[in-house]
Amino acid sequence: MLSKEALKRKYNRGDYTVGAHTVPKFAREAAPEATTARFQTSALPAGFVENLAGLAGVTEVVTEAAAVTAGVRDWWAGTMIAETDHRGQYPDTVIVKVSSVEGIQAVLAAANEAGVPVTASAARSNVTGSALPAAGGVVLDVLALDQVLDFDEESQIITVQPGIFGDIFEQWLQDRGFTAGNWPSSFGISTVGGWVACRGAGQLSTRYGKIEDMVVGLDVVLADGTLVSTGGSPRAAVGPDLNQVFTGSEGTLGVITSVSLRVHRLPDYTKALAFGFPSFAAGLDACREILQRGANPAVLRLYDELESGVQFGHGETNVLLIADEGNPIIIDAVMAVVADVCKDAVVLDQDAILETWLDTRYLTGKSAEGFKASAGFVADTLEMVAPWSKLPGIYERVVAAINAVPGTNAGSAHQSHAYVDGACLYFSLRGTVEPDERQAWYDQVWQAVNSVLIEENASISHHHGCGLLRSPYVADSLGTGFTVLSDLKKALDPKGILNPGKLGL
């Protein structure tokens, strides 16, 4: 039997400090070194930067080239390729740090009047370029807005500012006997505002839901500086859910200034099981059956043979890891369903597999494990979602599409988030080419995969969002629905200043 802390506090294993923020030491690998390319901000309107520095709530305006480059860097493979190719430059860009909602309002009002682009930014842990200033202008740094504003313990609703880091947020809750239940791989280097803006998911999402399932209400500043509030009720039938307009909008429709979330009591009971399946399709079928019988274990993760070998030393099978936490009556019932569904599978050492997963689940760059690094090596991940009926075929087609691109080492996948009607497959892409061919290989493999996903009518992203990486595919992915998104953008941001170049907008 695992202790009640097994799934909850495993991250707390020796910390180090990044700026003013303490994060788990194994949650972060070294980011690429900044290039020192210089640029001018002369294309910004005369006097605009000086005006920003004088606004109430603005604490700093960063204009020096190297500091701007370092201050916008994210974890996207495309950023790393560009910087090491000496293309990581952001001309006509300044970083504006704010310490209050009023500061956000003032900056947006000034930028809107001047027609200057604004890209909201916090921890920059995203892997799609969603917080990169594609059109220059203002990078609005909201990290200083990092406070817990309110906690309704009886209703289990907490309200926080967008810049609070995931581990600090979770520790605050756990000290009071609660958990948010949202544990992304970027847990120690991401913020609550980023989770909401990119529609993120934690590793225990089958039990607790994705971030959009947790949002109760939002405060958002629109492009012209107007502050609006949405939601606030457990459920409502007063028109569309306006929380969902801004959840996942990646800063293209407004800047989030506070988030109210549903939280949960800390669990006091956990169980885990692990099995091996002869094929990925057979494992997917077991996952589907578990969910459709009414069980929803917190962890339900299936790895193909390549990833089973790299992650757990079981390359002869397709490893399925199941773990759950909560009320003993419920968890025992869930695990009884799991055991019955998997009765014909090979039983594996669940303690060893779970321990390995817990030890490595916050490591960045896991897609590169098992492959030789070199100057021309590129590794990235791609997550998508589709109905169960399509997933086995999509798995085969996507892996084949990855492997067909010249220079590819291997494509692989695991199922990471599951629902009654479908699941997310999380693919790893790896290639070794000449250093000056990395961008071409990267573009080609992403084009190959997205062509398959659009043809299969699958969603091109489950929880990483779109950013610059997926922006070219959004219109095709949404089909006729893209017109609605485009019209909404025009209504809320008529001058188009908010995070241009993202979501296909």
Side-chain angles (χ1 to χ4, degrees):
M1 185 66 60
L2 300 169
S3 76
K4 69 178 182 179
E5 295 182 344
L7 300 183
K8 307 313 301 176
R9 296 180 187 268
K10 196 71 174 182
Y11 67 89
N12 193 15
R13 288 193 169 187
D15 298 331
Y16 78 107
T17 299
V18 179
H21 173 234
T22 301
V23 301
K25 67 181 180 181
F26 62 87
R28 182 182 180 118
E29 294 175 346
E33 291 297 321
T35 59
T36 57
R38 300 186 62 82
F39 54 84
Q40 302 296 320
T41 57
S42 57
L44 293 171
F48 177 74
V49 174
E50 292 75 13
N51 177 48
L52 292 177
L55 296 176
V58 172
T59 58
E60 185 180 0
V61 177
V62 180
T63 60
E64 197 273 325
V68 169
T69 298
V72 302
R73 181 183 299 112
D74 59 12
W75 289 86
W76 178 30
T79 300
M80 300 180 187
I81 293 171
E83 287 204 1
T84 52
D85 281 350
H86 304 289
R87 294 182 284 109
Q89 303 176 31
Y90 302 94
D92 307 318
T93 303
V94 297
I95 298 174
V96 179
K97 299 183 180 183
V98 292
S99 60
S100 67
V101 175
E102 293 75 17
I104 294 175
Q105 290 181 271
V107 171
L108 285 177
N112 190 60
E113 182 179 356
V116 172
V118 178
T119 301
S121 175
R124 311 183 315 280
S125 63
N126 75 88
V127 293
T128 66
S130 61
L132 294 178
V138 171
V139 173
L140 184 62
D141 186 332
V142 301
L143 268 179
L145 281 77
D146 62 356
Q147 299 300 300
V148 175
L149 300 177
D150 182 66
F151 184 37
D152 180 347
E153 186 170 328
E154 184 175 3
S155 304
Q156 295 186 188
I157 297 173
I158 190 169
T159 302
V160 299
Q161 292 182 307
I164 190 168
F165 277 86
D167 58 343
I168 293 175
F169 172 53
E170 180 67 24
Q171 192 64 61
W172 193 98
L173 283 169
Q174 288 193 6
D175 288 345
R176 291 155 180 82
F178 294 88
T179 177
N182 194 57
W183 300 76
S185 294
S186 60
F187 180 64
I189 56 172
S190 59
T191 63
V192 173
W195 297 349
V196 176
C198 290
R199 217 172 183 85
Q203 296 163 341
L204 311 185
S205 68
T206 309
R207 164 67 60 193
Y208 296 108
K210 287 182 75 227
I211 195 68
E212 63 263 31
D213 303 309
M214 305 175 188
V215 173
V216 176
L218 298 171
D219 283 344
V220 181
V221 177
L222 303 181
D224 64 358
T226 301
L227 178 64
V228 298
S229 297
T230 65
S233 299
R235 288 291 187 271
V238 188
D241 185 350
L242 297 181
N243 288 331
Q244 298 303 324
V245 170
F246 298 101
T247 301
S249 66
E250 301 185 29
T252 62
L253 303 179
V255 177
I256 296 168
T257 62
S258 77
V259 181
S260 295
L261 297 170
R262 300 175 179 91
V263 297
H264 308 268
R265 298 177 188 179
L266 268 178
D268 56 6
Y269 183 78
T270 63
K271 268 190 174 181
L273 294 170
F275 302 94
F277 286 86
S279 68
F280 195 68
L284 286 175
D285 196 50
C287 291
R288 177 190 59 79
E289 186 67 16
I290 288 168
L291 268 295
Q292 292 181 353
R293 287 195 190 183
N296 61 331
V299 178
L300 184 68
R301 300 176 77 89
L302 171 71
Y303 298 80
D304 69 7
E305 288 185 355
L306 192 157
E307 297 196 11
S308 294
V310 171
Q311 298 291 325
F312 306 113
H314 280 286
E316 78 288 353
T317 191
N318 295 263
V319 172
L320 174 60
L321 169 64
I322 309 101
D324 207 359
E325 59 182 20
N327 184 290
I329 298 172
I330 296 173
I331 304 311
D332 284 347
V334 166
M335 287 309 198
V337 171
V338 169
D340 187 56
V341 170
C342 300
K343 60 181 180 293
D344 294 327
V346 176
V347 177
L348 302 176
D349 184 345
Q350 71 263 14
D351 291 335
I353 289 173
L354 179 64
E355 187 72 17
T356 297
W357 181 71
L358 289 171
D359 281 347
T360 61
R361 63 179 174 145
Y362 298 125
L363 289 175
T364 60
K366 284 187 288 186
S367 58
E369 290 183 3
F371 294 85
K372 183 178 180 180
S374 68
F377 179 69
V378 183
D380 200 11
T381 58
L382 178 154
E383 27 62 67
M384 51 69 62
V385 61
W388 290 112
S389 59
K390 290 189 174 185
L391 286 178
I394 288 175
Y395 167 74
E396 297 290 346
R397 289 194 65 191
V398 169
V399 170
I402 296 168
N403 291 336
V405 177
T408 295
N409 298 127
S412 64
H414 61 274
Q415 185 279 114
S416 56
H417 306 270
Y419 311 93
V420 170
D421 52 345
C424 165
L425 297 187
Y426 194 101
F427 291 91
S428 288
L429 332 168
R430 313 164 188 89
T432 301
V433 294
E434 293 300 318
D436 62 355
E437 296 175 352
R438 292 176 304 166
Q439 188 67 59
W441 177 87
Y442 188 71
D443 292 344
Q444 188 174 351
V445 76
W446 270 90
Q447 176 62 40
V449 172
N450 279 286
S451 294
V452 171
L453 299 183
I454 291 169
E455 183 179 320
E456 293 279 358
N457 199 30
S459 177
I460 61 174
S461 178
H462 175 264
H463 58 272
H464 285 169
C466 295
L468 291 174
L469 174 59
R470 289 186 169 100
S471 191
Y473 311 109
V474 170
D476 285 340
S477 179
L478 294 181
T480 54
F482 182 74
T483 301
V484 178
L485 177 61
S486 180
D487 288 345
L488 183 61
K489 169 71 169 177
K490 292 172 185 175
L492 294 179
D493 180 19
K495 292 188 177 181
I497 68 163
L498 292 177
N499 208 8
K502 316 300 167 51
L503 292 179
L505 300 170

